[in-house]
């Protein structure tokens, strides 16, 4: 098995585990942001977890695999971060929009605004990835 495939599986698996642990906190945050009560059955905090887990694995797998690929092919750190961020955001922006709509029960799979907020995702993720991968080294 190639190193890229191993990296993809490892990073996807770890991210999936973390999502399973922290998902209820994200739901609480969304409920607060949308002025909904936090006093709901515990099962409410896990609604949509399965679908979210399906999306987290490939998104994080792509992120780490892209960064490792760039670093292994002697890209400089800044170019690696930029390539990782652009690749990740192409995948993560529609996934985040889908997850948010799903979590607040306004699911619409055919949405022309799927990439709404893409530029903000790029800006956020460049900063996050630069700090994250610098600390990871």
């Amino acid at each position: 098995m190639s190193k890229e495939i191993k990296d993809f599986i490892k990073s996807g698996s770890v991210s999936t585990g973390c999502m399973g642990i922290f998902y209820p906190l994200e739901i609480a945050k969304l409920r607060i942001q949308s002025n909904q009560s936090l006093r709901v059955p515990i099962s409410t905090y896990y609604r949509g977890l399965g679908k979210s887990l399906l999306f987290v694995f490939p998104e994080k797998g792509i992120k780490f695999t892209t960064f490792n690929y760039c670093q292994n092919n002697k890209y400089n750190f800044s170019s690696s971060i930029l390539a990782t961020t652009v690749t990740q955001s192409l995948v993560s922006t529609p996934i985040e929009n889908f997850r948010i709509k799903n979590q607040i029960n306004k699911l619409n799979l055919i949405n022309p605004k799927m990439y709404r907020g893409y530029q903000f995702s790029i800006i956020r993720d460049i900063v996050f990835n630069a700090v994250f991968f610098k600390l990871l080294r």
Side-chain angles (χ1 to χ4, degrees):
M1 187 180 309
S2 74
K3 180 172 177 13
E4 287 82 12
I5 292 173
K6 287 180 183 178
D7 286 346
F8 182 85
I9 292 170
K10 186 176 8 173
S11 59
S13 299
V14 169
S15 298
T16 300
C18 289
M19 172 62 91
I21 294 168
F22 293 104
Y23 188 80
L25 295 175
E26 185 174 342
I27 297 299
K29 177 189 77 159
L30 288 170
R31 293 187 69 81
I32 290 168
Q33 290 173 335
S34 61
N35 295 320
Q36 296 178 5
S37 173
L38 293 175
R39 294 178 187 230
V40 294
I42 191 80
S43 62
T44 301
Y45 289 98
Y46 289 93
R47 184 180 304 141
L49 175 61
K51 290 177 186 175
S52 291
L53 290 176
L54 290 175
F55 292 131
V56 166
F57 189 98
E59 183 214 351
K60 299 305 182 197
I62 288 167
K63 174 181 181 170
F64 285 97
T65 302
T66 302
F67 182 78
N68 287 339
Y69 174 84
C70 291
Q71 289 292 282
N72 292 338
N73 287 292
K74 309 298 184 216
Y75 286 63
N76 66 38
F77 185 75
S78 298
S79 296
S80 297
I81 292 298
L82 185 60
T84 298
T85 301
V86 169
T87 304
Q88 174 194 358
S89 294
L90 283 171
V91 175
S92 67
T93 301
I95 289 172
E96 287 175 2
N97 287 333
F98 174 79
R99 266 193 13 236
I100 289 167
K101 287 183 182 300
N102 185 43
Q103 289 167 345
I104 58 175
N105 297 321
K106 294 181 181 174
L107 181 61
N108 180 8
L109 291 176
I110 303 171
N111 186 347
K113 297 178 183 175
M114 187 164 43
Y115 281 95
R116 188 174 65 182
Y118 178 70
Q119 66 275 24
F120 298 110
S121 294
I122 291 283
I123 293 166
R124 175 198 66 197
D125 291 341
I126 283 175
V127 174
F128 176 83
N129 288 335
V131 171
F132 179 81
F133 286 112
K134 192 68 167 176
L135 292 174
L136 190 65
R137 293 167 103 190

